[in-house]
Amino acid sequence: MSISISNITKTYGTQKALDDVSFSVGSGEVVGFLGPNGAGKSTMMKIITCFLPPNAGKATVCGFDTATDSLKVRRNVGYLPEHNPLYLDLYVKEYLDFVAGLHGLKDRTARVRTMIEKVGLGPEQHKRIGALSKGYRQRVGLAQAMIHDPQVLILDEPTSGLDPNQLVEVRALIKEIGKERTVLLSTHIMQEVEAICDRVIIIDHGKVVADDKASTLRSGAQQREGLEVEFDRDVHANLLLNIPGVLQAQRKQGHAWILAHDAARDVRPAVFQFAVENGLQVLGLQKIERGLEEVFKELTRSGN
Ligand code: ADP
Ligand code: MG
C-alpha cells in the first residue's frame, strides 16, 4: 500500500474536521478525493504530508508512519497544496533550484531541467513566477512537487481556478504523471474524477461516504434511471406508479414528473400507453442521464 489511513480523527478546537476516516491507496493508483467545500479534504492531505498531526488514528505512506518517520514520509511524498503557494518574485528556474536544494538533491541543474521539460514549462522557464499565467503556475507547482522524484503525489485541488484550456492541459499532465506514480487528488469537480481517476473516495462532513471504482459508482447510479415526462393536465402520483416498471414518481413542477424506473426496461412505451388510456397528452418525454454527478449529490446532500 502506498497510503494507508486508519481511523484518523482531527478536530480544530471544537470542530471535527475528520471523523474516524480509513482508506488506502495502492501503489500506482490514481484516486480522486472528492467532497464539497469544508468536507475535510485538505485536512486529510495535510496529515498525509506531515503538515498536521491527527488527534487519533494512524497514517502511513510507503510503509512509514507520519507520526514517527516524518522525514522518510516527506522523502516519498510530493505535495501541491491548495492555492499553490509560490514565491512570485523568484524566477522559475531559481525557485525549482531552491526547492531541489531543500530536498538536498545532487545535480540540481540537471534535475531542474528535467522537471521543466516534464511539465511543459519550456517556453516560460526564463520568466518570473509572478509573470506566469495560472496554468503555468500550476505546472511550476507540479514540478516542485515532483522534483525529488517521490512515489506518491498529493495534489490539493490542482485545477481550481484554471480556464477551460488550461484545465484540459493540466488534467492531461496529471494523467501522464499518474502513469508512473501513486496520486491522490482532491477536487469537487465530478468531470475531473471521470477524466483522471481510477477510483473515487467521497468524503462529506469528515466521513467517507463512498469508496469505489468510478465505473462502479456510475453504473450503480444507472441502475435506477430517470425519465422526465410532462402531461397536458394534472394526474395523481399513485396512478403513475401503476405504470409497469415505474418505481417512484416525483412532481418536478406543474404537470411535469420525474419517474424513477428499473434501468433494465424501457418504460417509455408504457408511459404512452398510460397516457392514451387516461386521455392525457404527452407534451414531453426525456431520459435523465444519471452519472457520477448525481451520486455525488445524493451522497453529500446532508450538508447542502
Ligand atoms: P476541504 O478541503 O474539504 O474544503 P478542510 O479540510 O479545509 O475541507 O476543512 C474541514 C473543516 O475544518 C472545515 O469546516 C473548515 O472550516 C475547518 N478547518 C480547516 N482548517 C481549520 C483551521 N486551521 N482552524 C479551524 N478550522 C479549520
Ligand atoms: Mg480544501
Side-chain angles (χ1 to χ4, degrees):
M1 277 304 149
S2 278
I3 304 173
S4 172
I5 303 297
S6 349
N7 310 100
I8 292 270
T9 294
K10 174 75 191 174
T11 52
Y12 296 107
T14 54
Q15 172 148 31
K16 207 172 238 187
L18 292 171
D19 188 1
D20 198 24
V21 173
S22 302
F23 63 85
S24 56
V25 180
S27 171
E29 265 193 301
V30 178
V31 174
F33 198 41
L34 200 74
N37 287 327
K41 304 181 294 295
S42 297
T43 302
M44 190 72 245
M45 292 183 146
K46 285 174 195 162
I47 290 171
I48 297 171
T49 52
C50 305
F51 275 75
L52 273 182
N55 295 86
K58 182 171 158 150
T60 67
V61 178
C62 300
F64 301 114
D65 192 325
T66 52
T68 55
D69 248 336
S70 100
L71 207 57
K72 285 187 183 135
V73 169
R74 281 178 283 168
R75 253 180 221 144
N76 285 285
V77 170
Y79 178 34
L80 175 58
E82 199 173 13
H83 311 306
N84 189 11
L86 293 169
Y87 293 110
L88 301 184
D89 290 329
L90 291 188
Y91 289 90
V92 171
K93 281 185 175 171
E94 195 184 7
Y95 172 67
L96 292 177
D97 183 67
F98 165 69
V99 179
L102 290 181
H103 285 290
L105 301 183
K106 296 192 192 93
D107 212 355
R108 280 150 58 170
T109 317
R111 190 68 198 149
V112 168
R113 205 181 306 126
T114 309
M115 291 323 298
I116 284 176
E117 179 134 349
K118 182 149 214 142
V119 303
L121 265 169
E124 306 287 290
Q125 61 178 304
H126 300 296
K127 290 191 181 169
R128 253 183 233 265
I129 292 173
L132 299 180
S133 70
K134 182 106 203 258
Y136 277 100
R137 285 186 201 185
Q138 286 308 85
R139 288 173 196 257
V140 175
L142 285 168
Q144 162 279 129
M146 295 193 297
I147 200 150
H148 55 304
D149 201 18
Q151 282 186 42
V152 176
L153 274 184
I154 307 290
L155 311 177
D156 198 351
E157 303 207 16
T159 60
S160 87
L162 299 183
D163 76 29
N165 293 330
Q166 296 170 337
L167 201 77
V168 170
E169 286 168 15
V170 171
R171 275 182 197 160
L173 180 59
I174 294 172
K175 200 160 180 172
E176 190 58 38
I177 292 166
K179 285 185 185 156
E180 45 195 46
R181 300 165 209 268
T182 307
V183 178
L184 182 69
L185 152 149
S186 79
T187 175
H188 53 264
I189 309 167
M190 248 329 150
Q191 294 92 314
E192 191 138 296
V193 168
E194 308 215 59
I196 311 178
C197 306
D198 317 318
R199 209 174 102 213
V200 196
I201 297 170
I202 304 182
I203 176 172
D204 187 33
H205 284 86
K207 282 183 184 291
V208 173
V209 292
D211 178 350
D212 223 324
K213 285 203 150 110
S215 53
T216 311
L217 282 178
R218 203 177 310 117
S219 66
Q222 281 160 358
Q223 265 155 32
R224 286 170 294 128
E225 277 191 350
L227 200 62
E228 184 177 334
V229 57
E230 186 176 2
F231 299 111
D232 62 333
R233 58 188 172 76
D234 206 17
V235 47
H236 202 277
N238 286 342
L239 277 179
L240 291 167
L241 292 178
N242 290 335
I243 302 173
V246 170
L247 305 170
Q248 214 177 37
Q250 198 182 5
R251 190 188 295 276
K252 192 185 175 207
Q253 60 184 34
H255 305 151
W257 295 82
I258 305 286
L259 306 179
H261 65 89
D262 185 348
R265 61 202 284 181
D266 186 356
V267 298
R268 288 173 299 178
V271 170
F272 275 109
Q273 185 65 31
F274 167 84
V276 170
E277 282 167 8
N278 290 277
L280 297 160
Q281 280 189 330
V282 176
L283 302 181
L285 189 67
Q286 200 184 352
K287 274 196 165 187
I288 302 170
E289 291 289 339
R290 289 169 48 90
L292 274 181
E293 192 101 28
E294 301 302 318
V295 182
F296 177 74
K297 279 194 209 147
E298 269 167 34
L299 291 170
T300 59
R301 187 142 40 204
S302 55
N304 304 313

